[in-house]
């Protein structure tokens, strides 16, 4: 299946390729030597074409140029023989038969046709959008440093605050904060102190 698909794709590509016309094939023209005349007496060909002279008379004939861009001369041809010449330069070639000077003719050689190269298919260029020259407003997004600090601040705010454990009072503080004395003892001590004071006063008066 894969090879068949590749073959079909290659055929489609081949059919879509533009073919440039090749050079025109060279033609071969014939001139008859018959009845002591060249037929046709005036022939037009193109560069690269070949002309063949066919001899049909009993008397011998030949082909000799009298005025031409390139001179040429054929051997004498007997009945049934032929001679060919390929024209390479454009121009007018006048020739005659040296055996029978009254036999005259011309060959006009035109330049080879020029084939213009195939024109490429027109392509429509897509318009490119014009770039805006307006100043781009600054972005409202915070910079990396700001975002980092804000993230760190929020993280610090979101983190629970560690509370210090309650401090235990030292033994000295515990002794200072011992429970108070019995109030009755205080009253008894106060009464005893007053009594002693009174005794001291009485003894001082007797003296």
């Amino acid at each position: 299946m894969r090879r068949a698909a590749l073959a079909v794709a290659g055929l489609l590509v081949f059919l879509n390729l533009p073919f440039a016309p090749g050079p025109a094939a060279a033609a071969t023209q014939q001139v008859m030597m018959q009845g002591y005349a060249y037929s046709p007496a005036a022939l037009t060909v193109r560069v690269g074409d070949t002309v063949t002279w066919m001899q049909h008379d009993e008397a011998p004939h030949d082909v000799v140029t009298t005025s031409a861009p390139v001179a040429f001369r054929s051997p004498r041809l007997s009945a049934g023989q032929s001679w060919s010449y390929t024209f390479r330069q454009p121009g007018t070639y006048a020739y005659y038969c040296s055996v029978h000077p009254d036999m005259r003719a011309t060959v006009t050689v035109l330049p080879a046709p020029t084939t213009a190269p195939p024109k490429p298919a027109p392509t429509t260029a897509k318009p490119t959008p014009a770039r805006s020259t307006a100043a781009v407003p600054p972005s409202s997004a915070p910079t990396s440093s700001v975002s980092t600090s804000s993230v760190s601040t929020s993280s610090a705010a979101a983190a629970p605050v560690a509370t210090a454990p309650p401090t235990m009072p030292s033994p000295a503080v515990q002794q200072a904060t011992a429970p108070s004395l019995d109030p009755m003892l205080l009253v008894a001590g106060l009464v005893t102190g007053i009594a002693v004071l009174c005794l001291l006063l009485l003894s001082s008066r007797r003296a």
Side-chain angles (χ1 to χ4, degrees):
M1 292 294 293
R2 186 176 180 182
R3 292 183 179 179
L6 291 176
V8 172
L11 180 61
L12 292 176
V13 172
F14 178 77
L15 292 177
N16 291 331
L17 288 176
F19 292 95
T28 300
Q29 304 289 342
Q30 291 185 352
V31 176
M32 301 300 174
M33 296 177 178
Q34 189 173 10
Y36 295 91
Y38 297 106
S39 178
L43 181 65
T44 301
V45 297
R46 290 189 177 274
V47 172
D49 291 350
T50 301
V51 177
T52 300
W53 285 265
M54 307 289 296
Q55 223 288 61
H56 295 286
D57 283 339
E58 294 296 332
H61 298 301
D62 59 6
V63 180
V64 180
T65 54
T66 57
S67 63
V70 178
F72 58 83
R73 184 186 184 101
S74 72
R76 290 189 179 183
L77 304 176
S78 300
Q81 293 182 335
S82 63
W83 181 76
S84 300
Y85 181 80
T86 301
F87 292 90
R88 301 296 182 186
Q89 292 188 14
T92 300
Y93 294 76
Y95 63 93
Y96 78 123
C97 176
S98 62
V99 181
H100 308 93
D102 294 337
M103 294 177 58
R104 293 182 178 272
T106 59
V107 175
T108 302
V109 181
L110 302 178
T114 57
T115 57
K119 295 181 179 180
T123 57
T124 56
K126 296 182 179 180
T128 57
R131 294 184 178 179
S132 175
T133 57
V136 179
S139 175
S140 60
T143 59
S144 58
S145 59
V146 175
S147 61
T148 303
S149 61
S150 61
V151 170
S152 61
T153 304
S154 60
S155 300
V161 179
T163 58
T167 58
M168 297 299 293
S170 62
V173 175
Q174 290 181 357
Q175 292 178 1
T177 58
S180 60
L181 298 176
D182 190 2
M184 293 301 293
L185 294 177
L186 292 176
V187 173
L190 181 62
V191 171
T192 300
I194 294 174
V196 171
L197 181 60
C198 292
L199 292 175
L200 291 174
L201 289 175
L202 287 177
S203 60
S204 62
R205 282 181 180 180
R206 287 177 182 178

